[in-house]
Amino acid sequence: MPSDTVTAAPPAAGATADFGLSDQLSGLMNPQSVAVVGASANAEGWSGMAVPVLRRLGYTGKIFPVNPKYEELNGLPCYPSVSAIPEEVDAALMFVPQKVLPDILEDCGRKGVRGAVILASGFSETGEEGRALEERLREVANRNRIAICGPNCLGLANLDSGFMGLTAATFPEDMSAGRTALISQSGQLLMVLLARAHDQGVHMRYLVSTGNELNVEAADYAGWALNDPQIASVAMALEGLRTPSRFLELARRAREAEKPLIVLKLGRSQRAARTALAHTGKMAGAFRTYEAVFRQNNVVSVDDPLELAEVAALFEKCPAPRGERISVVTFSGGWSGVVADQAEALGLPMADFTEKTEAALRPLLDFTPPVNPLDLSGNVNNHPERWGQSLEAVLADENTDIVVVFIHQVREAWRGRLISPVLELARRSDKPILVVYDGGKVVEAGFDQLAKDRSLPIYRGSQPALKALKRFVDYHRRANVTADDTPRPDLPDGAAATMKAQLAGNGRSLSEHAAKAALRAYGLPMVGERLVMSEAEALTAAEEIGFPVVMKGLADGLEHKSDAGLVHLNLKDAGGARAAYGDLAEKLAGQTLNGQPAPCVVQQMVTGGVEVILGMQNDPDFGPMILVGVGGVMTELLDDVALRRAPLSRRDVKDMIGETRLGMLLQGYRGAPRADRAALEDAILRLSDLAVEHAQEIESIDINPLLVLPEGEGCVAVDALIVKPEEATQ
């Protein structure tokens, strides 16, 4: 498993639970009875705090302390073992050393326990001995059909039922349940996220620290939470995915349920020590791949822990927007300008008030114009009633989809005048309303009042508010996009056989000529060319193809021919072709291609068109990823590409083109003719189908450049590279 996929040890075969996981997870996440194994009288340790905490949170299930040292704890009978409990037990909280856990799990299995929280560390994260102990635990748990949270975790909690199996130094004072599930592979990050979310007035319903994910993964917990009709969104902090297919299935279910996954992906650097022969392999980095998969599956990706809470606040507290146009109400001209600039930079459109709205606002303003952003200036001081009236008018505006209310430093006595109208509107509005309450500690009481009310999202600054809003509207826009039912191109007969033959007959990287033959079999348009071994053959080929031509040298280890000086362009006559062949013959002396003397290729010289890079990289987590972007010799320098997981839909292809400068270039930039976008779309779809069909046989493909010609003239590839997996050539 690549080093950037998970920080814990890779799972052994059968590591994830394949028994009735949903039923077992219910016993773990919503137990009707719980055994506290290792319970003690030490009120300052977690083993002694567990029972009192369960009671304090109002847990209504049955609690069974387990410890052979005691007959009674916290006024409850204490049992020597789990199997000695005379009633059914759904879940067990384990406060015992790691070495006794296998035997205790066996005892839990005899009792029919469905889930257990193992807090202890000292397993695969510590080395071989710990890894062996973890494998033993996994075998016992799977055989006894016990879903395990952990080990090496802080536990989990169901705040709706009051079940608390979570250990931490501090908790927010109010632990009442909200509408968000929070699942983190990092225990300490979970607690930071919990605290940050409470600051925003976002309360969690489920909390899970997944730890080493013995037989239950982060995606499994998230899938279970999605079934709760009270859940508005699932927030996740992920270091990696043990089973990417489970996450993809989770994303599909979340889309169907219309409940967003909000994900903070940790570890964004490039995969360490990875060498790539193709441009695509260098450009399709680990985090870029995750981002592409997230976008394709409408997963909301955030950049930092605080943003996770800020975005969750919108999904928990706001209705879906009918559009993206925002209106801003404040009482500062300066802040009006700041918010307008920030919105434009993020691509959030500002609404233009209707004439009806302008007419309603004019009597409420002293000297400022009735425009968006709306600056009420000193009106809030002299005419406090105009604040609420102005908010009403803006909210009713037909062009306004979302309202941002900006409140900055004000006198403490004015706080109620500003907050009460906003809260009243939020309770009856069918449009999203969010509040930026900024001004430092001197206005913190106002922020806290709004957060504790929990009616609407509240932010300490306009930039984080608008960034969260951008995530919110992008999610809803993608959710409402309809499929493109334009027919896909048909694949030619015999394409797969031709590809297999070329892959079998070449080294790790196919020569340009062989790669083009394989790609041509799938209907990808390739420039006309001839392979030549002598000057005479080169001159004959050039005459038959027709001047001007291009001449290239092909050799093992020289995949990027331009860098090696093996490309001669625009050869206009026989003299030019003869000189080019002589130069290439000198540079190729002693070089080979698949064990044979290195040849040259003579090809048609194609000019004009939009240069595109089209490629595939077989990702170890997600399989074939398709890349498209601005091509040519400056591809890596410009780094203007989009990435998606194959198989692609035509909608995926349109989105990829639109994400890059290709969208503008294909339209006919600065007087250039419109390019044949439809031909490019078909070429991308053909590559996607090829990549899926040969996912186990190809590591990467580069087609660079693919020239997209004027509309109606198609497209043509002038260079190509196919690389096989390293193990395929050993």
Side-chain angles (χ1 to χ4, degrees):
M1 180 176 290
S3 60
D4 67 332
T5 55
V6 284
T7 55
T16 52
D18 57 0
F19 44 79
L21 186 59
S22 178
D23 181 61
Q24 305 308 98
L25 265 180
S26 292
L28 182 62
M29 295 289 292
N30 190 29
Q32 304 306 300
S33 56
V34 58
V36 182
V37 183
S40 75
N42 179 10
E44 295 185 359
W46 288 111
S47 60
M49 295 171 60
V51 173
V53 167
L54 285 166
R55 286 174 163 174
R56 187 167 67 248
L57 290 177
Y59 177 63
T60 57
K62 295 182 178 181
I63 305 172
F64 305 108
V66 175
N67 193 326
K69 296 180 181 179
Y70 305 95
E71 292 186 359
E72 181 184 81
L73 275 173
N74 301 110
L76 296 170
C78 190
Y79 300 93
S81 65
V82 175
S83 59
I85 299 171
E87 301 181 53
E88 289 186 0
V89 179
D90 282 339
L93 300 180
M94 302 289 196
F95 297 97
V96 295
Q98 68 268 37
K99 292 187 178 180
V100 302
L101 281 167
D103 291 338
I104 292 177
L105 270 187
E106 292 280 16
D107 190 50
C108 288
R110 288 190 289 270
K111 187 62 185 176
V113 172
R114 292 189 286 164
V117 178
I118 299 178
L119 305 167
S121 57
F123 293 93
S124 60
E125 74 279 4
T126 63
E128 289 302 319
E129 184 177 351
R131 187 172 293 112
L133 180 58
E134 186 169 310
E135 289 303 317
R136 185 181 172 201
L137 272 184
R138 180 177 289 115
E139 187 279 325
V140 174
N142 286 356
R143 174 163 43 81
N144 287 283
R145 302 178 69 249
I146 302 173
I148 303 295
C149 178
N152 186 31
C153 71
L154 294 185
L156 52 77
N158 179 334
L159 299 179
D160 181 50
S161 71
F163 172 60
M164 173 60 73
L166 188 68
T167 60
T170 57
F171 289 99
E173 183 178 340
D174 180 5
M175 290 292 283
S176 57
R179 300 182 60 222
T180 303
L182 176 57
I183 297 152
S184 174
Q185 291 176 329
S186 164
Q188 290 303 318
L189 187 55
L190 177 86
M191 301 314 300
V192 172
L193 290 168
L194 173 64
R196 288 292 198 179
H198 271 256
D199 287 348
Q200 299 288 122
V202 177
H203 285 217
M204 298 302 162
R205 194 173 190 85
Y206 304 110
L207 294 162
V208 184
S209 161
T210 68
N212 290 10
E213 300 186 356
L214 188 84
N215 64 0
V216 185
E217 302 179 19
D220 299 323
Y221 295 109
W224 189 90
L226 282 177
N227 292 329
D228 186 340
Q230 295 301 315
I231 283 292
S233 67
V234 177
M236 307 177 75
L238 300 177
E239 297 168 13
L241 299 173
R242 286 187 177 273
T243 314
S245 60
R246 289 194 180 199
F247 181 82
L248 294 172
E249 174 61 16
L250 169 68
R252 183 194 65 78
R253 289 184 52 208
R255 292 197 307 274
E256 290 182 352
E258 298 181 348
K259 297 180 180 183
L261 299 179
I262 310 168
V263 177
L264 170 64
K265 174 64 178 70
L266 308 174
R268 300 186 171 203
S269 59
Q270 289 281 349
R271 288 182 173 90
R274 181 179 185 176
T275 57
L277 297 178
H279 290 292
T280 305
K282 297 174 184 176
M283 301 175 77
F287 181 65
R288 177 173 265 167
T289 297
Y290 270 91
E291 282 282 83
V293 171
F294 290 164
R295 183 187 291 261
Q296 193 171 6
N297 290 277
N298 206 10
V299 173
V300 182
S301 177
V302 299
D303 294 330
D304 60 65
L306 182 55
E307 190 184 359
L308 196 74
E310 290 165 343
V311 173
L314 282 160
F315 286 104
E316 179 168 312
K317 301 171 186 296
C318 292
R322 66 182 187 183
E324 302 180 16
R325 298 165 299 180
I326 68 171
S327 289
V328 178
V329 181
T330 184
F331 42 90
S332 165
W335 278 114
S336 295
V338 168
V339 176
D341 290 344
Q342 291 171 342
E344 181 176 333
L346 288 167
L348 286 168
M350 301 289 290
D352 293 321
F353 292 149
T354 64
E355 292 183 3
K356 179 181 178 181
T357 302
E358 291 177 351
L361 288 172
R362 283 192 184 94
L364 305 177
L365 304 171
D366 286 339
F367 57 87
T368 54
V371 296
N372 182 30
L374 181 64
D375 170 20
L376 297 176
S377 68
N379 273 312
V380 293
N381 304 331
N382 304 320
H383 304 284
E385 73 282 357
R386 294 183 181 180
W387 172 251
Q389 293 169 357
S390 298
L391 291 173
E392 289 266 15
V394 172
L395 191 64
D397 180 66
E398 292 181 1
N399 291 343
T400 296
D401 302 313
I402 301 163
V403 176
V404 179
V405 181
F406 195 104
I407 304 174
H408 47 89
Q409 286 190 346
V410 293
R411 294 180 185 175
E412 185 68 15
W414 297 344
R415 191 198 329 147
R417 301 177 188 175
L418 298 172
I419 291 177
S420 295
V422 179
L423 290 176
E424 175 59 29
L425 284 177
R427 292 186 181 102
R428 55 187 171 85
S429 173
D430 61 354
K431 296 180 181 180
I433 302 174
L434 55 152
V435 175
V436 179
Y437 205 105
D438 202 4
K441 291 184 178 180
V442 295
V443 296
E444 194 71 10
F447 183 97
D448 290 342
Q449 181 180 342
L450 283 164
K452 288 177 181 178
D453 185 272
R454 294 168 61 180
S455 295
L456 42 72
I458 169 75
Y459 301 90
R460 284 189 169 86
S462 56
Q463 184 71 21
L466 294 177
K467 188 176 180 182
L469 184 57
K470 175 65 173 173
R471 308 287 195 196
F472 181 70
V473 298
D474 283 351
Y475 168 84
H476 285 290
R477 184 198 316 116
R478 289 194 291 262
N480 293 325
V481 169
T482 57
D484 188 325
D485 56 3
T486 305
R488 298 175 69 90
D490 294 327
L491 296 182
D493 293 336
T498 300
M499 175 63 77
K500 288 181 180 294
Q502 292 293 347
L503 291 171
N506 289 273
R508 187 182 177 203
S509 62
L510 274 64
S511 71
E512 177 184 340
H513 188 68
K516 286 177 178 175
L519 296 170
R520 189 180 291 113
Y522 274 85
L524 284 153
M526 299 289 137
V527 68
E529 65 182 33
R530 302 276 184 84
L531 199 67
V532 299
M533 296 297 298
S534 68
E535 180 184 290
E537 289 181 2
L539 293 174
T540 299
E543 293 286 352
E544 292 177 353
I545 291 172
F547 290 104
V549 297
V550 176
M551 198 176 301
K552 303 176 182 179
L554 310 179
D556 293 325
L558 298 175
E559 287 81 11
H560 300 303
K561 294 175 287 295
S562 295
D563 296 343
L566 297 179
V567 179
H568 288 267
L569 302 174
N570 200 26
L571 303 175
K572 297 179 179 179
D573 52 34
R578 186 177 294 106
Y581 186 85
D583 176 68
L584 293 175
E586 182 177 345
K587 291 176 178 176
L588 293 173
Q591 299 286 342
T592 60
L593 182 67
N594 297 323
Q596 301 298 318
C600 293
V601 64
V602 179
Q603 65 182 215
Q604 177 188 3
M605 178 74 189
V606 182
T607 58
V610 176
E611 290 189 329
V612 174
I613 180 173
L614 178 55
M616 182 277 277
Q617 179 68 30
N618 207 336
D619 185 80
D621 288 342
F622 294 108
M625 302 293 299
I626 304 299
L627 177 143
V628 63
V630 176
V633 295
M634 300 182 71
T635 288
E636 289 183 38
L637 179 63
L638 294 175
D639 196 22
D640 184 20
V641 297
L643 198 66
R644 291 291 188 279
R645 179 176 181 268
L648 303 182
S649 67
R650 193 171 286 272
R651 172 57 59 192
D652 290 329
V653 172
K654 290 181 182 296
D655 289 345
M656 293 171 78
I657 293 172
E659 281 175 32
T660 68
R661 295 183 183 90
L662 283 179
M664 292 187 297
L665 293 172
L666 295 171
Q667 291 174 7
Y669 186 66
R670 303 198 68 171
R674 290 178 63 89
D676 201 331
R677 178 172 176 145
L680 174 60
E681 290 180 8
D682 281 355
I684 298 170
L685 288 169
R686 289 180 185 277
L687 182 64
S688 169
D689 290 342
L690 180 163
V692 172
E693 197 162 32
H694 298 280
Q696 304 305 313
E697 304 162 272
I698 299 176
E699 178 181 288
S700 59
I701 298 174
D702 265 6
I703 304 173
N704 183 34
L706 176 80
L707 298 179
V708 186
L709 304 174
E711 201 164 31
E713 297 182 23
C715 59
V716 60
V718 299
D719 200 355
L721 173 67
I722 296 178
V723 180
K724 295 186 285 188
E726 191 167 4
E727 58 270 20
T729 58
Q730 292 176 345

